[in-house]
Amino acid sequence: MERHFHERLDKLNKKVLEMASMAEEAIFKATESLKNNDTALADWVIENDKKIDEMENTIEAMVIDLLALQQPMAKDLRFITTGMKVNAELERIADLATNIAKCVLFVAHQPKLKPPEDIPRLFILAKDMVKKAVNAFVERNRELAKEVIQSDEEADMLRTKIQEELVKNYMSEDKTLIPRAISMFLAARHYERICDHATNIAEDVIFMIDARVVKHHPEILESGENDGK
Amino acid sequence: MERHFHERLDKLNKKVLEMASMAEEAIFKATESLKNNDTALADWVIENDKKIDEMENTIEAMVIDLLALQQPMAKDLRFITTGMKVNAELERIADLATNIAKCVLFVAHQPKLKPPEDIPRLFILAKDMVKKAVNAFVERNRELAKEVIQSDEEADMLRTKIQEELVKNYMSEDKTLIPRAISMFLAARHYERICDHATNIAEDVIFMIDARVVKHHPEILESGENDGK
């Protein structure tokens, strides 16, 4: 029973990792479609989201089964409930990739707009934060989780800068740019929200490791108290 | 033990209801601040969100305790895990109310803009969907949950209409209106996302009642198969 249980935990771990790869692929392809005004790729991202939704349901069913059949205690319980939350966050991340793809379709009939230069920086940040947050979960790595949480401020800063630039240098300068600038404005917002969800995952990972809630309590991280005491 | 357990489930139910009232109050006050360009009220919504975050943590700790100490089976387990998810959705709904309040602050230094007339309709829809979704959870009412899911399409439609009007009749007509129109554009998006979260709650409630996953499977609802078979 004990061995069988750990095999099932391991299987959950692997499924979450598979879900993460799918979400990361969605972000990457949505970004490519945005860069190149590639509507076929944007369609692919939107269509493929159904598979990610299915995967969310599969993982959720695994979690409920584990909780019902195995009656896990303390540490294992925290791992399983965290897996359930990470799963939900990844599904939302994939949804946001879909939203980015929809931004492409929204203005696909118009010529491509040169994006503000911070857009690629925000995309790279989002991609890295998701990767690190998932690795922090899989490796139970507190330091990696802390790095993710600390990057969230940069994401907010980049988004604000991009949005101000779009209003000032694009929309206000030339009203024919408004729909495309809004599409870019929303894309920036979606990337920043991907970073928020990566941060949520990181906070959940720290709870899993330390049994301490850092969500809504950034001061715990800043005080450096999170060394397992 | 059995009686004590049901008292604790009841306590969880009550706490979720309390969390829901706080989220509904946040939506209501954010909307009032938007209507009247009332920055003091917007500040209140943002400040008060900390209490809602605390409440989320409290409920999550209750859920983990219940799962660890009581080892619930089947139906109770679904109620507890659904409570955990409803709790997370309500926290996000309150965050969106905070985002609406931030839209008010973003353009507070400029004269109030007359909003598109569908904005109040979208607000009322969002408020009703949240109320119904929470009632569906508390009363374990499948019909109410189905109503919520069916309203989601109207929310999407209203948001699209509002956003098109803002681009066409506001931003493109007068560039000095752009920042205020964008603030309204985002507010419409936040209301529509509140409706999305209410829909998520309703889908979780149907899973709790029927042990059937309708999330990402609207066709199950449409086929009318959800009568407990």
Side-chain angles (χ1 to χ4, degrees):
Chain A
M1 171 81 170
E2 183 62 12
R3 194 181 140 206
H4 180 62
F5 177 60
H6 282 98
E7 275 166 16
R8 288 182 72 164
L9 285 188
D10 196 43
K11 208 173 150 193
L12 176 62
N13 215 357
K14 283 196 184 113
K15 273 281 170 202
V16 172
L17 208 53
E18 203 180 320
M19 175 81 174
S21 302
M22 292 169 86
E24 285 172 39
E25 185 187 17
I27 304 174
F28 177 75
K29 291 202 167 153
T31 304
E32 286 298 301
S33 76
L34 188 69
K35 266 190 211 161
N36 308 317
N37 219 4
D38 181 341
T39 57
L41 195 57
D43 284 334
W44 184 92
V45 172
I46 293 164
E47 185 60 28
N48 190 61
D49 194 52
K50 288 178 195 152
K51 286 190 197 153
I52 300 180
D53 289 346
E54 280 305 322
M55 184 65 125
E56 188 199 10
N57 287 344
T58 304
I59 293 176
E60 205 168 295
M62 282 174 78
V63 165
I64 303 265
D65 275 357
L66 268 169
L67 287 173
L69 300 177
Q70 309 285 355
Q71 306 184 329
M73 301 298 280
K75 199 166 132 265
D76 292 335
L77 179 62
R78 289 205 306 276
F79 170 73
I80 297 168
T81 53
T82 305
M84 180 165 164
K85 290 160 83 179
V86 171
N87 181 40
E89 299 291 347
L90 289 170
E91 192 268 334
R92 283 163 204 269
I93 286 172
D95 273 350
L96 288 162
T98 306
N99 288 352
I100 293 168
K102 286 179 187 161
C103 288
V104 178
L105 298 182
F106 175 57
V107 289
H109 55 289
Q110 297 191 15
K112 198 175 153 273
L113 194 66
K114 189 185 168 299
E117 60 184 25
D118 282 319
I119 283 255
R121 288 174 60 193
L122 184 55
F123 151 64
I124 291 167
L125 185 66
K127 191 177 62 95
D128 287 352
M129 282 175 73
V130 172
K131 197 164 212 56
K132 273 188 192 171
V134 171
N135 285 343
F137 172 69
V138 172
E139 301 165 10
R140 293 157 171 74
N141 185 331
R142 186 193 296 109
E143 286 313 306
L144 217 47
K146 277 168 73 172
E147 278 180 35
V148 173
I149 296 169
Q150 279 150 1
S151 298
D152 197 36
E153 213 168 304
E154 191 185 345
D156 290 343
M157 189 268 292
L158 283 173
R159 185 202 64 174
T160 305
K161 233 177 109 194
I162 292 165
Q163 294 189 332
E164 282 172 0
E165 191 179 337
L166 285 165
V167 172
K168 210 175 133 207
N169 301 342
Y170 292 67
M171 299 187 209
S172 302
E173 289 298 314
D174 176 356
K175 75 180 189 185
T176 66
L177 299 181
I178 291 175
R180 281 171 287 170
I182 283 185
S183 155
M184 206 70 84
F185 189 100
L186 290 176
R189 187 170 189 92
H190 300 321
Y191 283 118
E192 189 262 335
R193 284 193 51 232
I194 289 175
C195 298
D196 285 345
H197 288 292
T199 304
N200 292 346
I201 292 175
E203 287 169 343
D204 290 335
V205 168
I206 290 183
F207 169 74
M208 174 179 80
I209 299 172
D210 292 344
R212 291 179 64 173
V213 178
V214 294
K215 187 159 61 181
H216 313 309
H217 286 286
E219 74 282 2
I220 294 182
L221 281 185
E222 278 152 26
S223 70
E225 282 178 47
N226 251 334
D227 46 5
K229 272 180 268 188
Chain B
M1 172 82 170
E2 184 63 12
R3 194 181 139 205
H4 180 61
F5 177 61
H6 282 99
E7 273 166 17
R8 288 182 73 166
L9 285 188
D10 196 45
K11 209 173 149 191
L12 176 63
N13 216 358
K14 283 197 181 115
K15 272 282 171 200
V16 171
L17 207 53
E18 204 180 319
M19 176 82 172
S21 301
M22 291 169 86
E24 285 172 39
E25 185 187 16
I27 304 173
F28 177 76
K29 291 201 168 156
T31 304
E32 286 298 301
S33 76
L34 188 69
K35 266 190 210 162
N36 308 316
N37 219 5
D38 182 342
T39 57
L41 195 57
D43 284 333
W44 183 92
V45 172
I46 293 165
E47 185 58 29
N48 190 62
D49 194 51
K50 289 178 194 152
K51 286 188 197 155
I52 300 180
D53 290 345
E54 280 304 322
M55 184 65 123
E56 187 199 10
N57 287 344
T58 304
I59 292 175
E60 204 168 295
M62 283 174 76
V63 166
I64 303 265
D65 275 359
L66 267 169
L67 288 173
L69 301 177
Q70 308 285 356
Q71 306 184 328
M73 300 298 279
K75 197 166 134 266
D76 291 335
L77 179 63
R78 289 204 307 274
F79 170 73
I80 296 168
T81 53
T82 305
M84 181 164 164
K85 290 160 81 179
V86 171
N87 181 40
E89 299 292 346
L90 289 170
E91 193 268 337
R92 284 163 204 267
I93 287 172
D95 273 350
L96 288 163
T98 306
N99 288 353
I100 294 168
K102 286 179 186 161
C103 289
V104 178
L105 298 182
F106 175 58
V107 289
H109 55 289
Q110 297 191 15
K112 198 174 152 275
L113 195 67
K114 190 185 167 298
E117 60 185 24
D118 283 319
I119 283 256
R121 288 175 59 194
L122 184 55
F123 151 64
I124 290 167
L125 185 65
K127 190 177 63 94
D128 287 352
M129 283 175 73
V130 172
K131 197 166 212 56
K132 272 188 193 170
V134 171
N135 285 343
F137 171 69
V138 173
E139 301 166 10
R140 293 157 171 73
N141 185 331
R142 185 193 297 112
E143 286 313 307
L144 217 46
K146 278 169 73 174
E147 278 180 36
V148 173
I149 295 169
Q150 279 151 1
S151 297
D152 198 37
E153 212 168 306
E154 190 185 345
D156 290 344
M157 189 268 293
L158 282 173
R159 187 203 64 173
T160 305
K161 233 178 112 194
I162 291 165
Q163 294 189 332
E164 282 171 1
E165 191 179 339
L166 285 166
V167 172
K168 209 174 134 210
N169 300 341
Y170 291 67
M171 299 188 207
S172 303
E173 289 297 313
D174 176 355
K175 74 178 188 185
T176 67
L177 298 183
I178 291 176
R180 281 170 288 170
I182 283 187
S183 154
M184 207 72 85
F185 188 99
L186 290 176
R189 187 169 188 92
H190 300 320
Y191 282 118
E192 189 263 335
R193 285 194 50 232
I194 289 175
C195 298
D196 284 344
H197 288 291
T199 303
N200 291 347
I201 292 175
E203 287 169 343
D204 289 336
V205 168
I206 290 182
F207 168 74
M208 175 179 79
I209 299 173
D210 291 344
R212 290 180 65 172
V213 177
V214 294
K215 186 158 63 181
H216 313 309
H217 286 286
E219 74 282 2
I220 294 182
L221 280 185
E222 278 152 26
S223 70
E225 282 178 45
N226 252 333
D227 47 4
K229 270 181 270 185

